Amino acid sequence: MSGWDELVTTALLGTDRRPLSPELGPGWASYDPERATRDPAGVVLDLAASHRALRQAGVRLGRETPAEPGPTERLPLAPNRAQDVMAGLLTKPEPGLINLWLSICAERGLGLATELWPRLAQLASRNTAYDRTALLAVLGPPGGWFLRHNPAWARLAEASGAPAMPPPTDPSAVGDAVRAGASPAQAMELILTCADPLPLPLVTAALRIIAGGMLGPQTRDAARSLSHRIPVDVWTELPAALTTDGLSDTTPATPTPATATSPIVQLSLAVIHRTVQARIEIEDAFRTPTRETTP
Amino acid sequence: MAVWERDRVLALSPDPASTAAARRLAAPAHWSSTGSTARALWGLCQGSGQRPYQTVVDLGAEPAYACTCPSRKSPCKHALALLMLWTAGGVPTVETETGFAADWLRGRQQRAKPPAARTDGTVADPEAAARRVAARAERVSSGLDDLERWLRDQVQGGLAGVERAGYAHFDRVAARMVDAQAPGVASMLRAIPAELAADGWPARVLERLAALHVLIQAHRRLDALPAELAANVRSRVGYPVTKAEVLASAGVRDYWIALGSVDTIEYQLETRRVWLYGTRTGRWALWLAFAAPGMSLDTSVLPGQLLNADLHFYPGSGFRAMVGEQHDADDGITALPSETFGQVGERLAALLASDPWASRLPAIVNATPVPPVTASGTWRLRDELGQCVEVVGLPGDPWVLLARSGGRPTAIFGEWSDAGFRPLSLLPDALGTAFTTALVA
C-alpha cells in the first residue's frame, strides 16, 4: 500500500480506530510521533494537504504518437444564413429537407461548417433516407477521413452514388390513365413517379386529389411525398386557394367520405404548406453571399 | 458600430429553444421597418397576433432588449432573431433612430441614474468601518475555529459515514460558515458532496478537507503572511471587496479578447465566468457575472468580443477583474500565442505557490484531438511535443474538435486543472478558420 493509500485508509476508518502508520514511505515528510499521538487528525490533514499540493503541481502528462492527419483541402463554406438553416433543420430533422439542403450545397460546390458534421453524420448513419453521397460532397476532401474515425459512421465514407431508380413516368401518361378510369390513388402514384420538376398541371391535380380527401388514410403519406416534389416556382403560380394553410374551397372531383374540412386533409395540406415554405427558405438562404473564410 | 460576430449573438441566447426559435425568425420575410444605427437595432416582427411585435436592441456596453411580445425571456426570440438578421447584413443602416425605437431609447436614457455610492473607494466613517471590519474578523475567526474542530472530528471518526450522510452533513456546517460571514468557505464545503458519487471519493474528500484545514491555518496567521497570499486567503474565505475599491485600483489597459465562458448554478445562483486575454500584456483576467433566480445574466462581456479597456484586478494573485473605462476597439480575433501542456502545468505550479486553493487555469494550447479507441473511452489532446492530457467537462460534442482540426494541431482555448483540459472555444488559425464556441453550445 502506498503512503497516500495508507493515509486515506486511516482517514476513512478514523484515527480513533486506526492509528496513523509511523512510516508512510519514501517521499513523505516525517512527522512528530508525539504530535501524531496527541493530534492524529491534525497530522493526517497536514499530510493530506502536502500531498494535494504536490499532486496538483506535478500533473503527469501522457504521451501519444500522432495519427495520420486528413486532407488539407477544404470547400468554401455555404453562406451563414444557409448554415443557420441547417442548424435549425438538425434540431427537428426531416430527411427530405436536409437532403434538399445537401443537394443545393453540393451542386454549388460549397461546404458544411465543421460544427455541424457530427450531428449530420449521426443522423445519416442511422437512417438510409439521408443522401449519403451529398453528405460526403459537402464535407469535402476531409469528410471521409473524419467519418472513418468513428466506427458508427465509417460506412458513410463508402457511399457511392445514388441507387439506380426506375425510369420516370411520362407526364402525359397521367392524363391517359385518368381518362381510362384510373382511381385518384392510382393517379397520385403516377404523378409521384414523374420526373422532376413536376409541371404545374400535375401539381394542381395532385393538390386537388389531396384536398378532396380522395386518398383516405393514404392522404398524409401522399402529402408528405408531394411536399418535397412541388417546384418552388410552381408553388408561387398556384391559385391562392390551393396554397393557403388549410384549404377551404376546393371541390372534390369525386365525392368521398373525407372532405376538405376533415382533419386528415387539413393536416396534410398544412404539412405541404410548411414543407414548401421550408424549402423556399433553404433555397433563399443559399442566395445570400458566400462566406469568405474556409472552415 | 461594427457588426457582431454570429457566435457572440448565439451566446446571448437564454436557452436552446430560444436559439432554435430565433433561427426560424431570422429571415427578412418575417421583418419590416427594420433599421440600425451605431447605438441600436429595431424592427417589426409579425407574430401570431394581429399587430406585429416591436423589437429594439440597445447595442451599448451592456446590451438591453425591448419587445412587445409576451415572452419573459431576455433576450426574447425576436431580439435574437433581429440580431442574427443584422449579423447577416439583413438590417439597413440609417442615420438616426425613429418611432418606437427612438421613444424606447430616450426613455431608457432618462431612467438611467448616476450611482449613489462612492466611486473612489473611500468610506464615509472610517472609525465605524474599522469597527465593522474588526467585528467581522472576530466572527470569521470564531466560525473557522468551529470548522477546524469539525474537520478533526471527521478524520477522527472516519470518513466512511460521510457517504451515507450526504449533502445535509455538509450543508449544516456550510450554513454555520455563512453565519460566520465566511461565504467562500461555505462554497468550498458545499462542493464536497459532489465528490461522493465517483470512484475514489475518500481520497478526493480528504484532499478537500485538507484544503480547508490549510485555509484555516493561513487565516490564523493572516497578519504574518505575504501581502499577495494574505489577499488570496481573504478572497477564499469570502471577505467582501467593493466594486468601488476594485475600480479605484490602477487599471491594466490592453486589448482584451474574451475567449470562453462557463455557466454554473450553485444553490440557485447562476454564475458566468468569462476568461479574457490581454493581447499586449499577455495577462489573463476573469470576469464574473451573477444572476439570482428569475434574473438574466449580464451579457456585456461575451466570448468572441474584443475590448480595448482598463481592467481593474481584485486583490491577490487571482484573475478576477472588473471592466473599467472602455476605448474604441478594433474588430476580430487574430492568432494568439499558445503553450505546451508542460508549460501550462508549470504555470499552475507557480500559481499554487501563492494560491494553494486555485484549481484551474486558462490556457491556449495548439493541440490535436485524439478520439477514444472505444465508445466509452475518453478523448485526449496531444500537443506539439507529443504530450497528452484528458479532455474533461466538455458539454458539447467532442467530434467537433476532430472535424475542425482535421487531425492537425489547432488552437484551442480552455481551462486546465489537475483532472485534465476543458476546451471552451476554438480559435482562428493559419487556415483562416473563425472563432467558435461550438464546443460548449
Side-chain angles (χ1 to χ4, degrees), chain A residues 279-293:
Chain A
R279 288 172 53 216
I280 291 172
E281 188 184 6
I282 291 171
E283 295 191 8
D284 276 347
F286 278 91
R287 293 195 187 103
T288 53
T290 308
R291 276 195 196 185
E292 298 275 335
T293 57

PDB file of all heavy atoms in Angstrom, chain A residues 279-293:
ATOM      1  N   ARG A 279     -38.602  24.731 -47.778  1.00  0.00           N
ATOM      2  CA  ARG A 279     -37.756  24.569 -48.970  1.00  0.00           C
ATOM      3  C   ARG A 279     -37.434  25.928 -49.576  1.00  0.00           C
ATOM      4  O   ARG A 279     -36.315  26.160 -50.032  1.00  0.00           O
ATOM      5  CB  ARG A 279     -38.449  23.666 -49.986  1.00  0.00           C
ATOM      6  CG  ARG A 279     -38.477  22.191 -49.537  1.00  0.00           C
ATOM      7  CD  ARG A 279     -39.327  21.338 -50.439  1.00  0.00           C
ATOM      8  NE  ARG A 279     -38.913  21.501 -51.810  1.00  0.00           N
ATOM      9  CZ  ARG A 279     -39.744  21.504 -52.846  1.00  0.00           C
ATOM     10  NH1 ARG A 279     -41.032  21.323 -52.660  1.00  0.00           N
ATOM     11  NH2 ARG A 279     -39.289  21.660 -54.061  1.00  0.00           N
ATOM     12  N   ILE A 280     -38.426  26.825 -49.584  1.00  0.00           N
ATOM     13  CA  ILE A 280     -38.178  28.179 -50.093  1.00  0.00           C
ATOM     14  C   ILE A 280     -37.114  28.853 -49.244  1.00  0.00           C
ATOM     15  O   ILE A 280     -36.197  29.502 -49.755  1.00  0.00           O
ATOM     16  CB  ILE A 280     -39.487  29.003 -50.094  1.00  0.00           C
ATOM     17  CG1 ILE A 280     -40.460  28.462 -51.141  1.00  0.00           C
ATOM     18  CG2 ILE A 280     -39.204  30.487 -50.343  1.00  0.00           C
ATOM     19  CD1 ILE A 280     -41.842  29.086 -51.079  1.00  0.00           C
ATOM     20  N   GLU A 281     -37.221  28.658 -47.927  1.00  0.00           N
ATOM     21  CA  GLU A 281     -36.252  29.272 -47.027  1.00  0.00           C
ATOM     22  C   GLU A 281     -34.849  28.720 -47.291  1.00  0.00           C
ATOM     23  O   GLU A 281     -33.872  29.467 -47.278  1.00  0.00           O
ATOM     24  CB  GLU A 281     -36.658  29.002 -45.575  1.00  0.00           C
ATOM     25  CG  GLU A 281     -35.819  29.774 -44.568  1.00  0.00           C
ATOM     26  CD  GLU A 281     -36.168  29.435 -43.132  1.00  0.00           C
ATOM     27  OE1 GLU A 281     -36.989  28.522 -42.900  1.00  0.00           O
ATOM     28  OE2 GLU A 281     -35.600  30.072 -42.237  1.00  0.00           O
ATOM     29  N   ILE A 282     -34.756  27.423 -47.529  1.00  0.00           N
ATOM     30  CA  ILE A 282     -33.445  26.817 -47.797  1.00  0.00           C
ATOM     31  C   ILE A 282     -32.862  27.401 -49.070  1.00  0.00           C
ATOM     32  O   ILE A 282     -31.699  27.809 -49.113  1.00  0.00           O
ATOM     33  CB  ILE A 282     -33.560  25.280 -47.910  1.00  0.00           C
ATOM     34  CG1 ILE A 282     -33.883  24.673 -46.550  1.00  0.00           C
ATOM     35  CG2 ILE A 282     -32.275  24.673 -48.463  1.00  0.00           C
ATOM     36  CD1 ILE A 282     -34.225  23.200 -46.600  1.00  0.00           C
ATOM     37  N   GLU A 283     -33.661  27.477 -50.108  1.00  0.00           N
ATOM     38  CA  GLU A 283     -33.130  27.999 -51.385  1.00  0.00           C
ATOM     39  C   GLU A 283     -32.755  29.464 -51.237  1.00  0.00           C
ATOM     40  O   GLU A 283     -31.724  29.904 -51.760  1.00  0.00           O
ATOM     41  CB  GLU A 283     -34.160  27.782 -52.495  1.00  0.00           C
ATOM     42  CG  GLU A 283     -34.387  26.294 -52.768  1.00  0.00           C
ATOM     43  CD  GLU A 283     -35.190  26.022 -54.033  1.00  0.00           C
ATOM     44  OE1 GLU A 283     -35.442  26.986 -54.790  1.00  0.00           O
ATOM     45  OE2 GLU A 283     -35.541  24.866 -54.262  1.00  0.00           O
ATOM     46  N   ASP A 284     -33.572  30.240 -50.514  1.00  0.00           N
ATOM     47  CA  ASP A 284     -33.238  31.659 -50.283  1.00  0.00           C
ATOM     48  C   ASP A 284     -31.926  31.789 -49.543  1.00  0.00           C
ATOM     49  O   ASP A 284     -31.130  32.692 -49.808  1.00  0.00           O
ATOM     50  CB  ASP A 284     -34.331  32.323 -49.425  1.00  0.00           C
ATOM     51  CG  ASP A 284     -35.492  32.782 -50.281  1.00  0.00           C
ATOM     52  OD1 ASP A 284     -35.335  32.818 -51.520  1.00  0.00           O
ATOM     53  OD2 ASP A 284     -36.547  33.102 -49.703  1.00  0.00           O
ATOM     54  N   ALA A 285     -31.711  30.910 -48.574  1.00  0.00           N
ATOM     55  CA  ALA A 285     -30.515  31.008 -47.732  1.00  0.00           C
ATOM     56  C   ALA A 285     -29.249  30.879 -48.560  1.00  0.00           C
ATOM     57  O   ALA A 285     -28.217  31.456 -48.221  1.00  0.00           O
ATOM     58  CB  ALA A 285     -30.547  29.935 -46.652  1.00  0.00           C
ATOM     59  N   PHE A 286     -29.306  30.126 -49.644  1.00  0.00           N
ATOM     60  CA  PHE A 286     -28.116  29.955 -50.479  1.00  0.00           C
ATOM     61  C   PHE A 286     -27.930  31.117 -51.440  1.00  0.00           C
ATOM     62  O   PHE A 286     -26.903  31.191 -52.120  1.00  0.00           O
ATOM     63  CB  PHE A 286     -28.185  28.640 -51.263  1.00  0.00           C
ATOM     64  CG  PHE A 286     -27.741  27.459 -50.452  1.00  0.00           C
ATOM     65  CD1 PHE A 286     -28.653  26.719 -49.716  1.00  0.00           C
ATOM     66  CD2 PHE A 286     -26.398  27.101 -50.388  1.00  0.00           C
ATOM     67  CE1 PHE A 286     -28.246  25.641 -48.949  1.00  0.00           C
ATOM     68  CE2 PHE A 286     -25.978  26.020 -49.623  1.00  0.00           C
ATOM     69  CZ  PHE A 286     -26.910  25.288 -48.905  1.00  0.00           C
ATOM     70  N   ARG A 287     -28.884  32.029 -51.475  1.00  0.00           N
ATOM     71  CA  ARG A 287     -28.730  33.196 -52.352  1.00  0.00           C
ATOM     72  C   ARG A 287     -27.977  34.316 -51.659  1.00  0.00           C
ATOM     73  O   ARG A 287     -27.556  35.258 -52.285  1.00  0.00           O
ATOM     74  CB  ARG A 287     -30.098  33.706 -52.808  1.00  0.00           C
ATOM     75  CG  ARG A 287     -30.790  32.737 -53.710  1.00  0.00           C
ATOM     76  CD  ARG A 287     -31.969  33.354 -54.452  1.00  0.00           C
ATOM     77  NE  ARG A 287     -32.656  32.283 -55.170  1.00  0.00           N
ATOM     78  CZ  ARG A 287     -33.803  31.722 -54.771  1.00  0.00           C
ATOM     79  NH1 ARG A 287     -34.421  32.172 -53.707  1.00  0.00           N
ATOM     80  NH2 ARG A 287     -34.340  30.731 -55.442  1.00  0.00           N
ATOM     81  N   THR A 288     -27.800  34.219 -50.306  1.00  0.00           N
ATOM     82  CA  THR A 288     -27.054  35.256 -49.599  1.00  0.00           C
ATOM     83  C   THR A 288     -25.580  35.060 -49.885  1.00  0.00           C
ATOM     84  O   THR A 288     -25.172  33.989 -50.323  1.00  0.00           O
ATOM     85  CB  THR A 288     -27.315  35.194 -48.090  1.00  0.00           C
ATOM     86  OG1 THR A 288     -27.069  33.867 -47.627  1.00  0.00           O
ATOM     87  CG2 THR A 288     -28.742  35.569 -47.788  1.00  0.00           C
ATOM     88  N   PRO A 289     -24.731  36.097 -49.631  1.00  0.00           N
ATOM     89  CA  PRO A 289     -23.315  35.998 -50.002  1.00  0.00           C
ATOM     90  C   PRO A 289     -22.626  34.823 -49.335  1.00  0.00           C
ATOM     91  O   PRO A 289     -22.916  34.498 -48.187  1.00  0.00           O
ATOM     92  CB  PRO A 289     -22.712  37.319 -49.516  1.00  0.00           C
ATOM     93  CG  PRO A 289     -23.862  38.238 -49.423  1.00  0.00           C
ATOM     94  CD  PRO A 289     -25.059  37.403 -49.103  1.00  0.00           C
ATOM     95  N   THR A 290     -21.710  34.200 -50.082  1.00  0.00           N
ATOM     96  CA  THR A 290     -20.921  33.086 -49.551  1.00  0.00           C
ATOM     97  C   THR A 290     -19.936  33.599 -48.531  1.00  0.00           C
ATOM     98  O   THR A 290     -19.445  34.708 -48.614  1.00  0.00           O
ATOM     99  CB  THR A 290     -20.150  32.437 -50.706  1.00  0.00           C
ATOM    100  OG1 THR A 290     -21.065  32.137 -51.736  1.00  0.00           O
ATOM    101  CG2 THR A 290     -19.443  31.166 -50.250  1.00  0.00           C
ATOM    102  N   ARG A 291     -19.646  32.750 -47.504  1.00  0.00           N
ATOM    103  CA  ARG A 291     -18.633  33.128 -46.525  1.00  0.00           C
ATOM    104  C   ARG A 291     -17.289  33.307 -47.208  1.00  0.00           C
ATOM    105  O   ARG A 291     -16.953  32.568 -48.124  1.00  0.00           O
ATOM    106  CB  ARG A 291     -18.468  31.991 -45.509  1.00  0.00           C
ATOM    107  CG  ARG A 291     -19.469  32.027 -44.413  1.00  0.00           C
ATOM    108  CD  ARG A 291     -18.972  31.114 -43.325  1.00  0.00           C
ATOM    109  NE  ARG A 291     -20.003  30.779 -42.371  1.00  0.00           N
ATOM    110  CZ  ARG A 291     -19.790  30.065 -41.273  1.00  0.00           C
ATOM    111  NH1 ARG A 291     -18.601  29.609 -41.015  1.00  0.00           N
ATOM    112  NH2 ARG A 291     -20.746  29.797 -40.445  1.00  0.00           N
ATOM    113  N   GLU A 292     -16.482  34.238 -46.694  1.00  0.00           N
ATOM    114  CA  GLU A 292     -15.151  34.458 -47.253  1.00  0.00           C
ATOM    115  C   GLU A 292     -14.186  33.374 -46.814  1.00  0.00           C
ATOM    116  O   GLU A 292     -13.325  32.948 -47.527  1.00  0.00           O
ATOM    117  CB  GLU A 292     -14.613  35.820 -46.766  1.00  0.00           C
ATOM    118  CG  GLU A 292     -15.442  37.006 -47.204  1.00  0.00           C
ATOM    119  CD  GLU A 292     -15.045  37.475 -48.592  1.00  0.00           C
ATOM    120  OE1 GLU A 292     -13.903  37.230 -48.988  1.00  0.00           O
ATOM    121  OE2 GLU A 292     -15.879  38.085 -49.271  1.00  0.00           O
ATOM    122  N   THR A 293     -14.303  32.936 -45.536  1.00  0.00           N
ATOM    123  CA  THR A 293     -13.284  32.049 -44.993  1.00  0.00           C
ATOM    124  C   THR A 293     -13.645  30.603 -45.210  1.00  0.00           C
ATOM    125  O   THR A 293     -14.795  30.233 -45.326  1.00  0.00           O
ATOM    126  CB  THR A 293     -13.115  32.287 -43.488  1.00  0.00           C
ATOM    127  OG1 THR A 293     -14.395  32.104 -42.853  1.00  0.00           O
ATOM    128  CG2 THR A 293     -12.622  33.685 -43.233  1.00  0.00           C
TER     129      THR A 293
END
